[in-house]
């Protein structure tokens, strides 16, 4: 059963958040959540749809997009808007940043507490209240460098 794949903690968190938001925990939402937990990282909606489609052949890509948007609103995942690329989804809710390979498009997590704790320039503080910081570093990963 798919619920057995989830830890009790994850399942209870999902049930509680859905209940608080007044949304039904459907079979499709549960399958998408299971897929996110089973394969953490930075998947696209298309990638998740492709994997889920094997189990649920009638699931529409629109259902996956809407479910991922709902999970983002509930705080279960974060939506990444990688520059000039498709939207990716991040299951890692810890404070972190991303290194994005410009060749293979792989996204790696970066933990950088010095950056997180630096004092922001006055020009930014004068713009308004900063609620979060996210840094994207674009470059070529070692794997791609080794291939050249």
């Amino acid at each position: 059963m798919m619920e057995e794949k989830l830890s009790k903690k994850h399942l209870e968190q999902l049930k509680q958040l859905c209940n608080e938001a007044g949304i039904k925990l459907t079979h499709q939402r549960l399958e998408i959540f299971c897929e996110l937990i089973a394969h953490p990282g930075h998947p696209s909606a298309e990638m998740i749809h492709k994997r889920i489609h094997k189990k649920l052949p009638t699931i529409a890509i629109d259902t996956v997009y809407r479910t991922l948007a709902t999970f983002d609103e509930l705080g279960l995942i974060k939506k990444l808007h990688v520059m000039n690329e498709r939207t990716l989804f991040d299951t890692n809710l810890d404070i972190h940043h991303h290194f994005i390979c410009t060749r293979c498009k792989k996204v790696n997590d970066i933990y950088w507490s010095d950056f997180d704790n630096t004092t922001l320039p006055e020009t930014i503080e004068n713009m308004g209240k900063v609620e979060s910081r996210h840094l994207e570093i674009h470059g070529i990963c070692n794997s791609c460098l080794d291939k050249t």
Side-chain angles (χ1 to χ4, degrees):
M1 184 171 190
M2 86 188 105
E3 290 184 17
E4 293 169 1
K5 297 177 191 174
L6 289 175
S7 72
K8 277 191 175 188
K9 177 185 165 191
H10 284 122
L11 184 57
E12 287 306 314
Q13 178 188 21
L14 179 62
K15 285 179 179 178
Q16 180 183 349
L17 288 172
C18 286
N19 189 38
E20 288 171 3
I23 62 171
K24 188 176 176 183
L25 181 55
T26 65
H27 178 69
Q28 292 172 323
R29 286 186 179 128
L30 188 54
E31 281 292 346
I32 292 168
F33 189 73
C34 286
E35 181 61 32
L36 288 166
I37 298 301
H39 299 98
H42 308 93
S44 66
E46 293 82 5
M47 189 182 304
I48 293 167
H49 179 258
K50 185 178 178 180
R51 291 180 187 156
I52 298 259
H53 193 261
K54 295 172 185 172
K55 295 179 202 169
L56 302 174
T58 60
I59 193 167
I61 186 71
D62 185 57
T63 301
V64 175
Y65 274 110
R66 283 185 284 113
T67 299
L68 292 170
T70 299
F71 287 172
D72 179 49
E73 290 170 14
L74 293 175
L76 291 166
I77 60 174
K78 288 183 186 175
K79 191 183 295 187
L80 295 180
H81 302 282
V82 180
M83 259 178 85
N84 301 321
E85 297 293 328
R86 66 193 183 284
T87 301
L88 302 176
F89 298 89
D90 196 347
T91 57
N92 180 355
L93 299 179
D94 295 336
I95 295 171
H96 68 286
H97 310 281
H98 295 101
F99 177 90
I100 302 160
C101 180
T102 56
R103 286 194 185 157
C104 70
K105 310 299 182 202
K106 183 175 181 185
V107 179
N108 288 297
D109 292 343
I110 302 169
Y111 295 90
W112 190 5
S113 60
D114 289 345
F115 174 79
D116 300 330
N117 297 319
T118 59
T119 302
L120 295 171
E122 227 177 272
T123 54
I124 294 174
E125 291 179 352
N126 290 335
M127 292 177 191
K129 180 184 175 202
V130 175
E131 294 181 344
S132 68
R133 300 180 188 199
H134 179 253
L135 179 68
E136 279 185 14
I137 298 174
H138 296 258
I140 302 171
C141 70
N142 286 330
S143 182
C144 287
L145 286 172
D146 290 342
K147 292 176 185 174
T148 57

